[in-house]
Amino acid sequence: MTAQILDGKKAAEEIRASLKKEISCMPKKPGLAAIIVGDNPASKLYVGIKRKTCDEVGIYSELHELPEATSEEDLLKLIRKLNGDEKINGILIQLPLPKHINEENIFSEIALEKDVDGFHAVNMGRLMRAEERVVPCTPKGVIRLLEKYNIEIKGKNVVIVGRSKIVGRPLALMLLNRDATVTICHTKTQNCSEKTRMADILIGAAGCPKLIRADMVKDGAVVVDIGTTKVENKLVGDVDFDSVKGKASWITPVPGGIGPMTVAMLLENTVQAAKREK
Ligand code: GUN
């Protein structure tokens, strides 16, 4: 079997085009404020891409670059200021934050209606209670891409490799909310391959290049790769694409899979926040 491609690049283009049309009819441009603390080059690259796509669809964006040594209190002050700024509908704090800053304190300071990342404790709680409102962009992008290709989730065995707070866990809940049977594998999981081979839908979300090899994949499985690690200046996913594509029925490439979907979902969450403001 040679897998067909789940084309996130194309799906994201379509979403952006539709958002652009919608924004052109809005009385006021939606606005996004992005905050980076420190000099992480990957964060700068990702936020640069997010702002460029904002521009493309007609979302106003501004960037706040703060030094690594910024105190938690100073970051909280900036968030409070942006909470009261009428131009801004969404506040994006690019992760990771420096170790001396408590992420939970920061995300819970963002006004709930401006939480376009879905990381606010209230939005996380809503997701946990199967009352999804604003959900994190990467998990939302995965679900949207599966839906676009009519890949059934209900009743399927889904295995997620990775349990991060911003990807693996919320994605597990979103899939459970759609009636999948979900298993999460992580660094302490025993016999991980035994579990991944049971998956109808297998998702790599560990950030570990080429962790998932063909022998870990069931014939005909749908394989979604969320990993993006820079290796020798190239983006490498969690899935060994070349071997796995011979076994899977559908597969996402890296790049061009979940990455562009994540950005498109951030834009969508920002537009929805602006619409709710009315
Ligand atoms: N760092 C890596 N992924 C994300 C994301 O989806 N949102 C934010 N804010 N930071 C990230």
Side-chain angles (χ1 to χ4, degrees), residues 50 92-96 117 119 137-138 166 262:
K50 289 171 183 175
L92 167 90
I93 298 160
Q94 187 66 25
L95 296 176
D117 251 328
F119 296 163
C137 304
T138 302
I166 63 173
T262 296

Short mmCIF file of all heavy atoms in Angstrom, two decimals, residues 50 92-96 117 119 137-138 166 262, ligand 1:
data_model
loop_
_atom_site.label_atom_id
_atom_site.label_comp_id
_atom_site.label_asym_id
_atom_site.label_seq_id
_atom_site.Cartn_x
_atom_site.Cartn_y
_atom_site.Cartn_z
N LYS A 50 3.21 33.24 11.75
CA LYS A 50 1.85 33.56 12.19
C LYS A 50 1.49 35.00 11.80
O LYS A 50 0.39 35.27 11.32
CB LYS A 50 1.72 33.36 13.71
CG LYS A 50 1.76 31.88 14.11
CD LYS A 50 1.86 31.68 15.63
CE LYS A 50 1.96 30.19 15.96
NZ LYS A 50 2.18 29.90 17.38
N LEU A 92 -1.46 36.01 21.94
CA LEU A 92 -0.71 34.78 21.74
C LEU A 92 0.61 34.89 22.48
O LEU A 92 1.41 35.78 22.17
CB LEU A 92 -0.44 34.60 20.25
CG LEU A 92 0.58 33.53 19.91
CD1 LEU A 92 -0.09 32.20 19.72
CD2 LEU A 92 1.38 33.90 18.68
N ILE A 93 0.83 34.03 23.45
CA ILE A 93 2.12 34.02 24.14
C ILE A 93 2.87 32.80 23.67
O ILE A 93 2.48 31.66 23.97
CB ILE A 93 1.94 34.02 25.67
CG1 ILE A 93 1.20 35.29 26.06
CG2 ILE A 93 3.28 33.94 26.38
CD1 ILE A 93 0.55 35.21 27.39
N GLN A 94 3.89 33.02 22.87
CA GLN A 94 4.57 31.88 22.26
C GLN A 94 5.32 31.08 23.33
O GLN A 94 6.05 31.64 24.15
CB GLN A 94 5.54 32.37 21.17
CG GLN A 94 6.18 31.28 20.34
CD GLN A 94 5.19 30.48 19.48
OE1 GLN A 94 4.13 30.96 19.11
NE2 GLN A 94 5.55 29.24 19.18
N LEU A 95 5.12 29.79 23.33
CA LEU A 95 5.82 28.89 24.25
C LEU A 95 7.06 28.33 23.55
O LEU A 95 7.06 28.24 22.33
CB LEU A 95 4.89 27.75 24.68
CG LEU A 95 3.67 28.19 25.49
CD1 LEU A 95 2.76 27.00 25.77
CD2 LEU A 95 4.09 28.86 26.79
N PRO A 96 8.10 27.94 24.23
CA PRO A 96 8.22 27.92 25.69
C PRO A 96 8.54 29.29 26.28
O PRO A 96 9.16 30.12 25.61
CB PRO A 96 9.40 26.96 25.91
CG PRO A 96 10.25 27.10 24.68
CD PRO A 96 9.30 27.41 23.56
N ASP A 117 -5.42 30.79 22.02
CA ASP A 117 -4.65 29.54 22.05
C ASP A 117 -5.43 28.43 22.76
O ASP A 117 -5.05 27.27 22.69
CB ASP A 117 -3.33 29.77 22.80
CG ASP A 117 -2.13 29.74 21.87
OD1 ASP A 117 -2.17 29.01 20.86
OD2 ASP A 117 -1.15 30.45 22.16
N PHE A 119 -5.48 28.00 25.93
CA PHE A 119 -4.67 27.50 27.05
C PHE A 119 -5.17 28.00 28.41
O PHE A 119 -4.64 27.62 29.45
CB PHE A 119 -3.20 27.93 26.90
CG PHE A 119 -2.50 27.35 25.70
CD1 PHE A 119 -1.31 27.90 25.23
CD2 PHE A 119 -3.00 26.23 25.04
CE1 PHE A 119 -0.64 27.37 24.13
CE2 PHE A 119 -2.34 25.68 23.94
CZ PHE A 119 -1.16 26.26 23.49
N CYS A 137 -4.80 25.20 19.04
CA CYS A 137 -4.77 25.26 17.57
C CYS A 137 -4.25 23.98 16.91
O CYS A 137 -4.79 23.56 15.88
CB CYS A 137 -3.90 26.44 17.14
SG CYS A 137 -4.48 27.98 17.86
N THR A 138 -3.24 23.34 17.48
CA THR A 138 -2.70 22.15 16.81
C THR A 138 -3.71 20.99 16.86
O THR A 138 -4.02 20.40 15.82
CB THR A 138 -1.34 21.74 17.41
OG1 THR A 138 -0.44 22.84 17.26
CG2 THR A 138 -0.76 20.53 16.72
N ILE A 166 -0.04 21.09 25.61
CA ILE A 166 -0.63 21.89 24.54
C ILE A 166 -1.02 21.07 23.30
O ILE A 166 -1.73 21.56 22.45
CB ILE A 166 0.25 23.11 24.15
CG1 ILE A 166 1.61 22.69 23.60
CG2 ILE A 166 0.43 24.05 25.32
CD1 ILE A 166 2.40 23.87 23.05
N THR A 262 -2.19 24.40 11.98
CA THR A 262 -2.11 25.05 13.29
C THR A 262 -2.25 26.57 13.13
O THR A 262 -3.00 27.22 13.84
CB THR A 262 -0.76 24.72 13.98
OG1 THR A 262 -0.71 23.32 14.22
CG2 THR A 262 -0.57 25.47 15.27
N1 GUN B 1 4.69 26.77 21.01
C1 GUN B 1 4.57 25.66 20.27
N2 GUN B 1 3.30 25.50 19.82
C2 GUN B 1 2.59 26.56 20.29
C3 GUN B 1 1.23 26.96 20.16
O1 GUN B 1 0.37 26.31 19.53
N3 GUN B 1 0.91 28.12 20.80
C4 GUN B 1 1.81 28.83 21.51
N4 GUN B 1 1.38 29.93 22.11
N5 GUN B 1 3.07 28.48 21.65
C5 GUN B 1 3.46 27.36 21.04
#
